[in-house]
Amino acid sequence: MSSTLILKARICQKSLQPFIHQARPAVFTLSKSSQLLWDDRTSFPKSVFAAGTAKRTAEMLKRKASHECFTGRMQPPDRPLPAAEWKKLKESLGNPQRFDTQMMSALFHSEEASLLTFVAMETGTLSYKLLLRYLTLCVRGGHDNEVFDVYQIMQESFPVLDTGACSLFIKSFSRTERWREAISILQEVKKVFSPSPRNYSDIISAAVQHGDVNTAWALYDELIEKGLSPHWDTWDVLFKGERKSKEEGEAMSQTEQQERLLGILLYMRNNQIYPPYSLTSSIKAWFERYSLNWTGSWTNASPKGVCRCCGSKLESIQLTAEEYQQLRDRVMSDIIEGRDVFNKTTPEELEQFKVFVKRKPAFDVVIDGLNVANVNKDRSKQSETLLAVVSELERQGLTILVLGRKHMLWPSRSWDKHNMNLIQQKAHCFFTDNISEDDPFLLYATLHSGNHCRFVSRDLMRDHKACLPDGATRRLFFKWQRGHQLVSIPSYDTIIQTEGDSWHIPYDDTEDRSTYEVPQQWLCLTKKH
């Protein structure tokens, strides 16, 4: 790419500034189809709470396939063209109205810039969309000098830049010696909309790389205060950058930096976040670097919750009495009595159920009858499946509650009358209206019965967990759920934990872990005396 071409375009651009300012609104919004071609936020943090990751990935792949199909219809030239040849190419394609923006999209892979000169000469100006797509091309290609030129053009020509342009400028400036200008861009962004975690991450990385750790941590604190979730690479660069800042004599003391980095681990713990292997490796290297007394090992836990490396007992999955009471109160007020429950459940029916539960002994197990029966895809054996589960739990001497729907009492191919009679003999049963939602009843009965009570269901209850007011309560719910939902109950909690002289960090070593699953691999860090 040539800076000369950009300067020529700038001359054309300046001559029409009055027209441009009248034609553009104060805030620029591109169409969705345009955003797909320049949006920089294509990576998503992997977290146990990141529901919908699979859906986002599928959508991203769909957009990519659509873009490849689109660019295939307008083939870019295999060499830079003079303006006259661009004109011939445009005419050969029937002089399409959006030739410039469509061709620029096609040029993403060939990194061709002479198109700008042709458009500027033919029309006397460069549109916002075309400049934005060219900016994307420059940023992706690492042509930062061209980015600086585009920045000057757009600042002089447009009163306000949108989030896409600002994010691209922040990304490009942050990887150069002009990285501090990215902070100024960030400040301008905050006047109009909230910056993304990626915006902060780019500048934090630049600050660490240039030895300005005070600025890096100030931006990190701002990111957290805004309630944003940091990207993995933000944490990674902070752990890797501790030595660099120390060598360059940064004002922040080593002790203070160590406390801040340990605070990141506590943040992950409090938010049930599992770092990927790459970040966990950086954490391991940092522990072994800042003190010769720390040693890290890759390991896993025994079924009884004992670290196979150091022999430490991991935290129990069971809630304390205080935690249980706290969770019970929040679930009762925010889920059971919350207004959303009554979209599919009447207050009268829920009150009838509460009276029913109070008249019964405390349950040991609560079963979502329809959910369990649907495990068998053979509809003729659904009642048989439910009966088998109830019979096994009865054999263990447990007090059982089966929650079902009223249609399960109507003899049919799925619901054998004899099987349903046996179920009612072996367990307490409550059958709701067919349109009712089962989960509030299941949660109420389980929590009302006490901390010992378990429940049987394949439902992950993501929507109900989302109704809880804060991250700490949602974490308690997830911990209680994993310790009480009879699928596979571990004896230990999968969460970052420390006892001062040791840290145990579960890490994500797979790309296909479902959001309701927990990692199986651990990093064990121990301090020698």
Side-chain angles (χ1 to χ4, degrees), residues 79-135:
R79 59 184 175 82
L81 299 181
E85 291 191 36
W86 273 116
K87 184 176 181 180
K88 290 181 181 179
L89 178 58
K90 180 179 178 182
E91 291 173 348
S92 71
L93 294 172
N95 288 311
Q97 291 184 349
R98 298 180 62 247
F99 171 79
D100 54 354
T101 55
Q102 291 180 14
M103 182 57 73
M104 186 60 77
S105 297
L107 287 170
F108 274 160
H109 300 292
S110 63
E111 300 186 358
E112 170 59 59
S114 62
L115 173 65
L116 285 181
T117 303
F118 162 68
V119 175
M121 292 176 63
E122 183 182 54
T123 66
T125 187
L126 297 174
S127 71
Y128 187 90
K129 288 184 179 180
L130 185 62
L131 279 170
L132 190 58
R133 296 190 186 190
Y134 178 65
L135 171 62

Side-chain angles (χ1 to χ4, degrees), residues 237-282:
V237 75
L238 288 170
F239 274 100
K240 287 181 176 177
E242 183 267 347
R243 181 196 298 180
K244 181 178 180 64
S245 62
K246 175 185 174 184
E247 292 171 350
E248 297 187 6
E250 179 59 39
M252 182 179 288
S253 69
Q254 183 179 7
T255 300
E256 185 177 358
Q257 288 187 63
Q258 291 172 0
E259 291 176 351
R260 299 303 306 271
L261 292 170
L262 293 176
I264 290 177
L265 297 181
L266 295 177
Y267 175 90
M268 293 182 188
R269 169 187 169 85
N270 293 335
N271 290 276
Q272 196 80 37
I273 293 174
Y274 304 125
Y277 174 77
S278 58
L279 172 56
T280 313
S281 297
S282 297

